[in-house]
Amino acid sequence: MKAELKKEEFLITVCNEIYDGDIKSKTRGELDTHITEQYETYVANGAEPEAALQEAIRQMGDPASIGKEIN
């Protein structure tokens, strides 16, 4: 559950940097999908679920920087 909270915090932080509502919504969906796909890959390769989600989030990079770049 802790990783799920971190995933939500990550997505919120990215979106807080994006001003356009349509872009914010689309970006959130794309990032959520990407994190989920990475998570599923790690779990399929034997990672523990919590560690898999943490790594998928970590590999995305700094959420504020991502949001600023998109904005």
Side-chain angles (χ1 to χ4, degrees), residues 6-51:
K6 289 196 179 249
K7 178 181 173 184
E8 185 63 23
E9 290 171 357
F10 176 89
L11 295 171
I12 288 169
T13 302
V14 171
C15 290
N16 282 343
E17 298 295 331
I18 302 171
Y19 301 121
D20 184 287
D22 291 333
I23 294 172
K24 185 183 294 195
S25 177
K26 182 178 178 182
T27 298
R28 181 184 174 88
E30 288 175 2
L31 291 174
D32 189 26
T33 297
H34 184 71
I35 292 169
T36 300
E37 289 172 351
Q38 284 298 107
Y39 162 79
E40 290 171 352
T41 298
Y42 294 139
V43 170
N45 287 321
E48 293 294 321
E50 176 79 15

